[in-house]
């Protein structure tokens, strides 16, 4: 099992024993161990275990060695990592030192300690020549071990009196190939000094040590197992050094070499103009094994277990996980990226870390499947990931068959094709299927399949990457930059239990000038409001409607008040009992003087009846509600006239009053409020309307204010107010008040000339 810390970072280490096997390779490892333990021969045995990068060679080796150590006839195991010494000059001496240390450990027998001492002396002799020749930039191991194999040095060492001749011979040979430099002189001096010291100590020569070593090895009841892993990391020169070192010592009895490497890499490095790497290895490797092929099903079982750990680490992430969509994504190509455990652990480490970034208390601020798949692309298809992050519009724009823009469609198709074509060659089709699953928004571009706006709203609530408001966070790996998080919307839903608290929240958002944007996004969540909270939710909306902005801040869009109306209307729609709808509204009208939504709702019901469309109320309830509305409006107008005049729905309210009530009541009210110039100016200001026009989406709007003549005629006695205006001293009026008089006159002028009311000359 790979090592995993509390943040789920995997150290990607091989497993240590058979009990940790998850790929069904334990039997292979046991058989390999048995074969090694039972071998006994007069010469060394060289076994190779071949496997690709990440295929589990080291894990199989560890299982085999672990199993061997548990057996009575276990070999003495010596693990030597040549690549750890590859940049140093002591690889030969290190090799024999490691053997010596392993055999002569503290609890070794007397015989093993003697053998360890012999190996140490043997390695010391070899390393002397190695150091000299490596410093001379020669293919040292080839030369040293070749000389050793022929017995040349041994013959000299049998008679110490011949030492000067040896030095002279080597010096003469080196002189042919080593430039006459200070470095060369220094090396020759060290070599001579070393051999002089050995002569003075009257040590055994190399041949004698070698024979002593062979005898000691024959007497052992169990073999030495020398394991070399990751030798494919070595350079060509270092590889030849190791293989020549093994080859030069193949006459050692009871010694087994177990070499682990990726065969094609080593063969390529050993191939030169004289022979192929394959032939080279065949002369050294006696028993080549290839590790058992990985069963992908087993690898994916590990993947699923790790994914489950990640997903189940957060309750909300688990709730959001759609098994059906996961099956689609998995089979559409996700699975193709996991053919070994190394890829699994590499992926899981960063995925788990990224999951933690989206945990916001009880809310998981992303779609878990989208996050999993995007992380897969980031790890294994980095170019696709980068290009995708720069292609937001192409992947998140929605269109309909009615508004299909062919030019835009062609442009987006080029972008999508470019992202797909940047995938690795073997996985292009997988990437295409994955992106189609991840972004249903592109189906109108690639297959003429159109999703409606309700689907897009649903993707918003699901935090899907295909929605423009969520796309960026999957690449920034943060939700902090978002104007509103899922937690904000869930909190708003939770507040629907309290009319007062919800109203406070709505007004607070309006005060921050973000209510319009919030309600626009909240529409997608509105279906999640619990039915038992409908009354408090609806009433809080109606309480707020009169006091918030009735004009949109956007180039195209609804105002905050319009969103309140829409949400309230949908709430009523979701109440199945038509009588209950009427009761809720009637109760509200008779206890409150917030008229905006009731006015909007009644007019909508009125138009639906005129157009023979479905209505929310029974006809009798509709008529009763209208009567109550007019009664309350009449009472409010007479009790708080200035509040009605300043109401942001003033014109709409007085039109409903005149149309559904007693017209004389509303006309008398207007007459009573326009007895002098100041009263007239207040009413004219309330009758002012405006239009906005834009030269472009980047400029401020041009606002045109006007007063319709028809509006004035509907409610005021024009000759009467004209006499009051004409008899008043207009010079004392403010500029704003003078503008009102001008707009009034302009309105009647436009009517007389049959021009639009917002005509501007």
């Amino acid at each position: 099992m790979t090592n995993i810390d509390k943040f789920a970072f995997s150290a990607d280490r091989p497993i240590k024993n058979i009990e940790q096997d998850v790929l069904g390779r334990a039997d292979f490892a046991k058989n390999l161990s048995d074969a090694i333990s039972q071998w006994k021969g007069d010469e060394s045995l060289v076994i190779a275990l071949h496997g690709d990068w990440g295929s589990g060679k080291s894990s199989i080796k560890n299982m085999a060695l672990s199993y061997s150590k548990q057996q009575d006839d276990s070999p003495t195991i010596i693990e030597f990592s040549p690549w750890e010494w590859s940049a140093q000059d002591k690889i030969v001496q290190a090799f024999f030192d490691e053997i010596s240390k392993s055999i002569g450990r503290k609890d070794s027998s007397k015989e093993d300690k003697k053998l360890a001492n012999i190996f140490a002396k043997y390695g010391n002799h070899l390393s002397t020549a190695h150091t000299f020749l490596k410093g001379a930039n020669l293919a040292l191991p080839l030369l040293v071990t070749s000389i050793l194999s022929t017995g040349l040095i041994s013959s000299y060492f049998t008679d110490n009196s011949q030492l000067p001749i040896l030095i002279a011979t080597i010096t003469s040979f080196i002189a042919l190939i080593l430039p006459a430099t200070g470095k060369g002189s220094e090396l020759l001096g060290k070599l001579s000094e070393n051999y002089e010291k050995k002569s003075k100590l009257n040590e055994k020569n190399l041949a004698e040590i070698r024979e002593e070593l062979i005898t000691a090895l024959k007497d052992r009841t169990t073999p030495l197992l020398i394991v070399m892993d990751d030798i494919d990391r070595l350079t060509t020169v270092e590889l030849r050094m190791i293989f020549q070192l093994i080859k030069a010592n193949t006459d050692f009895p009871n010694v087994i070499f177990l070499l682990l490497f990726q065969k094609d890499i080593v063969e390529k490095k050993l191939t030169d103009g004289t022979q192929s790497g394959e032939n080279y290895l065949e002369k050294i490797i006696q028993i080549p094994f290839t590790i058992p092929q990985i069963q992908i099903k087993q690898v994916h079982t590990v993947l699923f277990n790790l994914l489950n750990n990640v997903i189940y680490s957060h309750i909300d992430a688990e709730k959001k996980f759609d098994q059906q969509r996961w099956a689609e994504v998995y089979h559409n190509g996700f699975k193709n990226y996991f053919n070994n455990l190394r890829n699994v652990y590499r992926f899981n480490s960063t995925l788990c870390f990224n999951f933690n970034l989206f945990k916001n208390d009880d809310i998981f601020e992303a779609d878990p499947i989208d996050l999993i798949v995007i992380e897969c692309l980031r790890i294994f298809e980095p170019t696709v990931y980068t290009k995708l992050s720069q292609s937001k519009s192409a992947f998140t724009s929605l269109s309909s068959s009615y508004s299909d823009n062919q030019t835009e469609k062609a442009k987006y198709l080029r972008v999508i094709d470019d992202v797909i074509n940047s995938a690795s060659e073997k996985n292009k089709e997988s990437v295409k299927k994955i992106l189609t699953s991840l972004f249903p928004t592109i189906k109108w571009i690639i297959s003429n399949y159109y999703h409606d706006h309700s689907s897009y709203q649903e993707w918003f609530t699901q935090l899907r990457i295909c929605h423009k408001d969520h796309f960026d966070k999957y690449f920034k790996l943060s939700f902090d930059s978002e104007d509103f998080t899922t937690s904000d919307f869930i909190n708003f839903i939770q507040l629907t239990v309290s009319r007062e608290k919800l109203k406070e929240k709505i007004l607070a958002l309006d005060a921050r000038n973000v209510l319009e944007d919030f309600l626009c996004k909240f529409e997608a969540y509105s279906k999640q409001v619990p039915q038992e909270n409908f009354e408090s939710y609806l009433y809080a909306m109606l309480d707020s409607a009169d006091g918030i902005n009735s004009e949109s801040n956007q180039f195209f869009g609804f105002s905050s008040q319009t969103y309140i109306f829409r949400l309230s209307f949908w709430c009523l729609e979701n109440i199945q009992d038509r009588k209950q709808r009427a009761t809720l509204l009637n109760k509200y009208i008779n206890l409150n003087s917030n008229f905006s939504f009731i006015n909007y709702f009644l007019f909508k019901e009125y138009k639906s009846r005129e157009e023979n469309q479905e209505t929310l109320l029974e006809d009798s309830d509709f008529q009763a509600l209208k009567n109550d509305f007019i009664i309350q409006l009449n009472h409010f107008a007479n009790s708080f006239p200035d509040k009605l005049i300043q109401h942001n729905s003033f014109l709409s309210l007085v039109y409903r009053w005149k149309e559904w009530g007693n017209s004389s009541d509303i006309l008398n009210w207007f007459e009573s409020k326009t007895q002098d110039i100041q009263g007239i100016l207040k009413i004219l200001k309330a009758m002012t309307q405006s239009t906005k026009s834009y030269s472009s989406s980047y400029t401020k709007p041009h606002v045109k204010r006007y007063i319709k003549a028809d509006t004035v005629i509907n409610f005021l006695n024009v000759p009467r107010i004209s006499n009051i205006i004409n008899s008043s001293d207009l010079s004392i009026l403010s500029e704003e008040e003078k503008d009102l008089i001008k707009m009034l006159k302009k309105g009647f002028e436009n009517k007389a000339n049959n021009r639009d009311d917002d005509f501007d000359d």
Side-chain angles (χ1 to χ4, degrees):
M1 180 180 294
T2 193
N3 298 321
I4 300 178
D5 68 2
K6 67 177 181 178
F7 296 108
F9 287 154
S10 168
D12 191 25
R13 296 288 186 258
I15 63 175
K16 297 295 185 182
N17 52 60
I18 287 174
E19 288 71 27
Q20 296 173 328
D21 177 43
V22 294
L23 297 179
R25 295 173 167 188
D27 288 342
F28 179 87
K30 288 179 181 179
N31 288 331
L32 177 62
S33 171
D34 289 340
I36 291 171
S37 299
Q38 294 169 15
W39 184 87
K40 184 176 178 66
D42 293 334
E43 293 184 343
S44 299
L45 178 66
V46 184
I47 301 173
L49 185 58
H50 300 148
D52 293 340
W53 179 87
S55 60
K57 299 185 297 294
S58 298
S59 292
I60 289 177
K61 177 258 295 183
N62 288 346
M63 285 192 290
L65 299 186
S66 173
Y67 180 75
S68 290
K69 291 173 183 177
Q70 298 172 19
Q71 310 308 309
D72 294 335
D73 55 349
S74 172
T76 300
I77 299 169
I78 301 135
E79 294 195 66
F80 178 65
S81 299
W83 62 272
E84 293 181 358
W85 299 85
S86 61
Q88 304 182 41
D89 293 339
K90 299 181 179 180
I91 193 167
V92 174
Q93 183 172 349
F95 174 74
F96 288 102
D97 281 350
E98 287 299 311
I99 296 174
S100 176
K101 290 175 184 176
S102 297
I103 300 173
R105 59 186 182 275
K106 189 174 182 180
D107 58 344
S108 296
S109 64
K110 182 178 179 181
E111 290 75 14
D112 278 352
K113 288 183 178 178
K114 178 181 178 182
L115 180 60
N117 185 49
I118 300 171
F119 264 114
K121 289 191 291 182
Y122 185 68
N124 189 44
H125 273 284
L126 295 183
S127 64
T128 301
H130 168 265
T131 300
F132 167 73
L133 292 175
K134 186 169 178 70
N137 293 318
L138 297 176
L140 169 65
L142 299 175
L143 181 58
V144 172
T145 53
S146 295
I147 294 174
L148 290 173
S149 300
T150 60
L152 174 61
I153 294 180
S154 299
S155 66
Y156 277 112
F157 269 76
T158 56
D159 184 356
N160 286 331
S161 65
Q162 299 298 316
L163 183 60
I165 300 174
L166 171 64
I167 297 301
T169 301
I170 294 178
T171 304
S172 299
F173 176 68
I174 296 303
L176 297 174
I177 56 176
L178 183 68
T181 63
K183 181 69 174 176
S185 300
E186 180 183 349
L187 289 167
L188 291 173
K190 286 183 178 180
L191 181 68
S192 177
E193 180 183 351
N194 188 284
Y195 277 104
E196 286 176 3
K197 287 181 179 179
K198 289 183 180 294
S199 178
K200 290 176 182 178
L201 292 171
N202 195 27
E203 292 181 350
K204 290 183 179 180
N205 61 52
L206 191 61
E208 291 172 336
I209 297 173
R210 188 180 183 83
E211 287 302 320
E212 186 179 1
L213 188 55
I214 290 172
T215 300
L217 287 169
K218 281 182 179 179
D219 292 339
R220 286 182 60 82
T221 56
T222 57
L224 295 181
L225 175 59
I226 302 172
V227 183
M228 298 188 193
D229 199 351
D230 292 322
I231 62 175
D232 43 20
R233 299 190 188 186
L234 302 175
T235 65
T236 297
V237 171
E238 292 159 352
L239 276 171
R240 290 185 180 276
M241 179 191 307
I242 289 298
F243 282 119
Q244 196 64 41
L245 190 60
I246 293 169
K247 185 178 180 181
N249 297 290
T250 53
D251 56 346
F252 286 163
N254 256 342
V255 174
I256 303 171
F257 292 93
L258 177 60
L259 314 177
L260 287 78
F261 56 90
Q262 185 168 332
K263 189 169 182 285
D264 58 337
I265 292 178
V266 172
E267 286 179 350
K268 184 177 180 180
K269 289 182 178 181
L270 294 177
T271 297
D272 57 24
T274 62
Q275 64 180 336
S276 71
E278 183 178 8
N279 292 336
Y280 184 95
L281 289 178
E282 286 178 355
K283 296 175 182 177
I284 299 173
I285 307 298
Q286 294 158 291
I287 304 177
F289 287 113
T290 300
I291 66 170
Q293 186 176 2
I294 296 176
Q295 296 296 314
I296 297 300
K297 182 179 179 180
Q298 295 170 314
V299 174
H300 287 193
T301 297
V302 177
L303 172 66
F304 294 154
N305 289 337
L306 291 174
L307 284 176
N308 284 340
N309 291 338
V310 173
I311 295 163
Y312 294 153
S313 68
H314 196 278
I315 294 176
D316 192 45
E318 182 183 349
K319 290 179 181 177
K320 286 183 168 75
F321 194 84
D322 184 339
Q323 289 289 351
Q324 185 175 352
R325 195 164 75 85
W326 167 247
E328 177 188 339
V329 170
Y330 172 77
H331 291 293
N332 275 354
F334 178 87
K335 63 182 181 181
N336 296 338
Y337 291 97
F338 301 95
N339 54 10
N340 61 60
L341 286 181
R342 185 163 292 176
N343 280 0
V344 170
Y345 290 129
R346 178 186 173 201
F347 167 73
N348 181 71
S349 293
T350 54
L351 174 67
C352 192
F353 180 81
N354 291 343
F355 247 68
N356 286 327
L357 298 177
F358 288 94
K359 294 176 181 178
N360 183 17
D361 297 327
D362 294 333
I363 305 299
F364 189 72
E365 296 283 356
D367 178 87
I369 294 174
D370 287 359
L371 190 58
I372 289 168
V373 177
I374 283 297
E375 183 60 15
C376 174
L377 293 178
R378 190 185 74 82
I379 294 293
F380 303 113
E381 296 286 359
T383 306
V384 171
Y385 175 87
T386 300
K387 288 191 173 184
L388 177 61
S389 70
Q390 300 164 353
S391 308
K392 178 178 179 178
S393 294
F395 282 88
T396 63
S397 296
L398 201 64
S399 184
S400 70
S401 56
Y402 303 106
S403 60
D404 201 347
N405 185 321
Q406 292 300 315
T407 302
E408 185 178 67
K409 188 174 186 177
K411 180 185 74 173
Y412 286 162
L413 183 59
R414 288 193 294 270
V415 173
I416 293 167
D417 285 343
D418 181 54
V419 173
I420 293 170
N421 290 331
S422 66
S424 54
E425 193 62 37
K426 68 177 181 178
N427 284 319
K428 280 186 181 179
E429 190 59 30
S430 294
V431 167
K432 181 178 180 179
K433 290 180 179 179
I434 286 172
L435 292 178
T436 304
S437 297
L438 219 57
F439 296 96
T441 37
I442 68 174
K443 288 186 177 180
W444 71 276
I445 302 171
I446 63 177
S447 61
N448 292 319
Y449 183 88
Y450 296 87
H451 288 277
D452 58 24
H453 184 66
S454 63
S455 296
Y456 202 58
Q457 280 194 318
E458 187 176 0
W459 298 329
F460 175 74
T461 62
Q462 293 170 345
L463 312 181
R464 293 283 303 278
I465 189 175
C466 61
H467 195 285
K468 61 182 178 63
D469 291 334
H470 296 308
F471 180 88
D472 292 329
K473 68 182 176 186
Y474 285 88
F475 300 96
K476 294 178 180 178
L477 296 177
S478 170
F479 59 88
D480 291 339
S481 60
E482 294 183 328
D483 293 331
F484 308 106
T485 66
T486 309
S487 183
D488 292 325
F489 296 118
I490 298 301
N491 177 256
F492 192 84
I493 291 172
Q494 292 170 343
L495 288 176
T496 61
V497 72
S498 169
R499 175 178 174 177
E500 286 303 317
K501 289 183 179 179
L502 185 61
K503 177 186 175 182
E504 288 176 9
K505 180 66 175 180
I506 293 171
L507 295 178
L509 290 169
D510 186 57
R512 288 167 48 200
N513 203 32
V514 295
L515 180 61
E516 182 180 329
D517 187 36
F518 180 87
L519 294 178
C520 174
K521 293 178 170 65
F522 181 74
E523 281 191 349
Y525 285 88
S526 61
K527 295 179 182 178
Q528 299 180 24
V529 175
Q531 192 162 357
E532 60 269 22
N533 294 352
F534 276 3
E535 180 175 326
S536 55
Y537 169 59
L538 178 63
Y539 286 178
M541 291 287 190
L542 305 194
D543 290 345
S544 309
D546 282 4
I548 59 178
N549 195 356
S550 60
E551 293 188 5
S552 175
N553 297 319
Q554 301 177 16
F555 182 61
F556 291 111
F558 298 123
S559 67
S560 297
Q561 189 182 70
T562 302
Y563 281 119
I564 288 284
F565 292 166
R566 286 159 61 94
L567 290 166
S568 300
F569 190 83
W570 291 338
C571 176
L572 288 169
E573 277 187 321
N574 286 320
I575 298 173
Q576 301 304 311
D577 187 339
R578 292 162 70 91
K579 285 292 183 183
Q580 186 182 355
R581 296 170 185 164
T583 301
L584 280 174
L585 291 174
N586 187 269
K587 177 182 175 182
Y588 188 84
I589 287 175
N590 288 297
L591 294 176
N592 299 275
S593 56
N594 298 82
F595 300 106
S596 294
F597 173 74
I598 303 298
N599 176 55
Y600 164 86
F601 175 80
L602 289 173
F603 187 70
K604 191 174 179 65
E605 280 283 290
Y606 170 76
K607 295 296 289 184
S608 295
R609 281 169 170 76
E610 278 195 337
E611 298 168 3
N612 292 319
Q613 295 180 354
E614 186 177 353
T615 61
L616 295 187
L617 300 180
E618 300 289 352
D619 289 344
S620 58
D621 290 327
F622 170 65
Q623 191 60 46
L625 200 59
K626 276 202 313 179
N627 293 337
D628 287 344
F629 172 69
I630 295 302
I631 291 171
Q632 292 299 321
L633 182 58
N634 195 331
H635 174 73
F636 182 77
N638 288 291
S639 301
F640 308 100
D642 287 343
K643 286 186 178 181
L644 179 62
I645 293 171
Q646 295 168 12
H647 200 285
N648 55 27
S649 299
F650 173 76
L651 283 179
S652 178
L653 290 173
V654 294
Y655 269 110
R656 300 294 85 73
W657 186 4
K658 184 178 181 182
E659 185 176 357
W660 295 341
N662 189 329
S663 61
S664 61
D665 289 342
I666 183 69
L667 294 178
N668 290 335
W669 183 85
F670 267 102
E671 183 175 351
S672 67
K673 305 307 172 191
T674 54
Q675 293 298 306
D676 54 31
I677 187 67
Q678 288 302 318
I680 292 171
L681 290 173
K682 283 184 181 181
I683 294 298
L684 290 179
K685 183 177 181 180
M687 287 182 172
T688 302
Q689 297 174 257
S690 64
T691 59
K692 293 180 181 179
S693 60
Y694 298 79
S695 57
S696 76
S697 59
Y698 301 101
T699 60
K700 291 183 178 180
H702 172 68
V703 180
K704 170 66 178 176
R705 298 172 69 242
Y706 58 90
I707 296 174
K708 282 183 160 188
D710 286 342
T711 302
V712 178
I713 293 169
N714 260 307
F715 298 100
L716 298 173
N717 184 314
V718 175
R720 186 179 66 80
I721 65 167
S722 295
N723 287 334
I724 296 175
I725 293 172
N726 292 333
S727 62
S728 300
D729 182 6
L730 303 183
S731 64
I732 64 173
L733 301 182
S734 67
E735 289 302 316
E736 181 183 5
E737 291 171 334
K738 290 177 182 178
D739 284 341
L740 291 172
I741 302 296
K742 289 178 182 178
M743 283 189 281
L744 174 65
K745 292 179 178 179
K746 185 69 175 178
F748 279 94
E749 182 182 325
N750 287 338
K751 181 176 177 63
N753 293 313
N754 201 28
R755 294 191 299 236
D756 291 337
D757 289 296
D758 60 352
F759 175 78
D760 193 3
D761 55 9

